[in-house]
Amino acid sequence: MGDFSSSSSFMTTIVSLSVILIFSTGSSSAQLSTGFYRMSCPNVFSVVNSVVKSAVEKEKRMGASLLRLHFHDCFVQVRRTAGPNNNSIRGYEVIDSIKLKVEAACPGVVSCADIVAIAARDSVVLLGGPNWEVKVGRRDSKTASLSAANNGQLPPPTSTLNNLINRFEAKGLSTKDMVVLSGAHSIGQARCTVFRDRIYNETNNIDSSFAKLRQGDCPRTSGSGDNILAPLDLKTPTFFDNAYFKNLIAKKGLLHSDQVLYNGGSTDSLIESYSKNPKSFSDDFVAAMIRMGGITPLTGSKGEIRKNCRKPN
């Protein structure tokens, strides 16, 4: 689910890309296809890949940001300034760059929703993760809602296990999907403000040496060092692998919502399984990403093809 880092270089009043994908992903994935642009924009995948590759080579963290953007945008119709997203969603400039190049090649053909989905896949692959064929043919939404994003549909880093399970179930995703998609925290970083309480107050389910390590970067006082970053995966922070699950078993999950996946609850066995079997993790991650990318898409004449991914036409 990617990067929880700070970004403040964009206007806070712009409409988020998040609204695009809630209407462009879902259980109707049969309406989407890997060959949707074969005739109308045959080079779209290579154009997206070239921009993502350049961005990730400059800053590996950007791959995690693009993956997280896809996850959050799949989950709920939101604005960038919604509570769980405020000051944490980044990668818009990469999407803008992709859109410009795609428009130059195939004007008015490729949706922003599809661009985000393809960019997320490319990010995972470029950071060493599994590959999959992205189904495309989504169209973009014409509306956005701030209240929908602030009503609990987006699971925050403070989520309990039950909350995580329920939020994913509400989107048609299983507990297994939730656990394996959480493995996206194999890459990316988080801000001090979202893990401060865990490293200072959750003494029962955190490795003491890990807590001290993170405390060295993240002051106890709120407002002090809030934007200081730490890797979500202590072992291989810029490589997509199954080390995230090993970290949880060692009580070295950075976020509360990470460690609750392995804390004597119903998901412990899945964590143990993925920690031992990287191929199982990769295979299940791909399957879950495809399911997440197919939640009730806007297709045909519904929605629109945005000219600017930051706002409806």
Side-chain angles (χ1 to χ4, degrees):
M1 288 174 276
D3 197 58
F4 279 78
S5 54
S6 173
S7 176
S8 58
S9 59
F10 303 109
M11 295 171 57
T12 57
T13 55
I14 64 173
V15 177
S16 170
L17 281 174
S18 304
V19 64
I20 296 169
L21 280 170
I22 184 57
F23 289 111
S24 44
T25 56
S27 57
S28 310
S29 58
Q31 300 179 53
L32 307 177
S33 71
T34 57
F36 184 83
Y37 296 117
R38 186 171 291 127
M39 300 299 294
S40 59
C41 194
N43 296 327
V44 60
F45 287 98
S46 60
V47 171
V48 174
N49 182 264
S50 66
V51 179
V52 174
K53 184 177 181 181
S54 177
V56 172
E57 285 177 348
K58 290 178 183 176
E59 181 192 17
K60 289 186 183 296
R61 183 160 65 97
M62 185 55 70
S65 299
L66 292 171
L67 178 57
R68 182 175 184 239
L69 186 61
H70 179 49
F71 167 75
H72 278 258
D73 293 356
C74 281
F75 237 68
V76 69
Q77 176 184 6
V78 318
R79 291 178 184 268
R80 177 173 169 265
T81 50
N85 286 344
N86 201 19
N87 293 322
S88 68
I89 292 291
R90 58 198 299 276
Y92 288 89
E93 73 277 20
V94 178
I95 301 302
D96 289 343
S97 296
I98 296 170
K99 181 63 173 175
L100 283 172
K101 290 198 172 186
V102 170
E103 284 296 301
C106 322
V109 172
V110 181
S111 68
C112 297
D114 281 342
I115 286 173
V116 173
I118 298 167
R121 186 276 310 275
D122 289 351
S123 296
V124 170
V125 174
L126 287 164
L127 293 176
N131 199 352
W132 66 93
E133 291 193 70
V134 179
K135 292 184 178 182
V136 289
R138 304 169 182 85
R139 289 169 66 83
D140 300 325
S141 170
K142 297 180 179 181
T143 59
S145 169
L146 181 60
S147 60
N150 284 332
N151 67 3
Q153 292 187 55
L154 279 171
T158 55
S159 293
T160 63
L161 180 58
N162 282 340
N163 180 246
L164 288 169
I165 291 171
N166 291 338
R167 291 307 93 214
F168 276 74
E169 282 185 351
K171 299 301 175 186
L173 297 170
S174 69
T175 298
K176 182 178 179 181
D177 290 332
M178 181 272 290
V179 171
V180 75
L181 289 171
S182 295
H185 283 185
S186 167
I187 53 177
Q189 301 187 55
R191 296 184 300 143
C192 169
T193 187
V194 301
F195 62 83
R196 174 183 283 122
D197 186 65
R198 168 156 166 74
I199 63 174
Y200 285 104
N201 299 323
E202 295 184 18
T203 56
N204 292 331
N205 66 347
I206 191 168
D207 176 81
S208 59
S209 62
F210 174 70
K212 289 178 181 177
L213 175 66
R214 292 281 75 96
Q215 288 170 7
D217 301 322
C218 178
R220 181 188 291 270
T221 306
S222 180
S224 175
D226 283 1
N227 292 328
I228 292 173
L229 300 173
L232 289 161
D233 176 357
L234 181 66
K235 294 183 179 179
T236 53
T238 59
F239 190 77
F240 193 98
D241 58 17
N242 70 332
Y244 166 81
F245 301 103
K246 298 177 182 179
N247 294 335
L248 298 187
I249 292 173
K251 296 187 177 182
K252 295 179 180 179
L254 184 64
L255 306 180
H256 176 82
S257 57
D258 290 326
Q259 197 60 55
V260 295
L261 300 179
Y262 192 81
N263 194 34
S266 61
T267 54
D268 283 12
S269 59
L270 279 169
I271 300 299
E272 291 169 0
S273 175
Y274 291 137
S275 74
K276 298 172 184 174
N277 193 331
K279 186 179 186 304
S280 175
F281 166 52
S282 292
D283 291 347
D284 290 351
F285 182 81
V286 165
M289 286 294 289
I290 292 171
R291 276 192 289 275
M292 188 181 76
I295 303 171
T296 320
L298 281 179
T299 57
S301 61
K302 297 177 181 177
E304 64 185 16
I305 302 297
R306 288 190 182 182
K307 298 174 183 176
N308 181 338
C309 290
R310 302 197 188 204
K311 61 182 180 180
N313 294 338

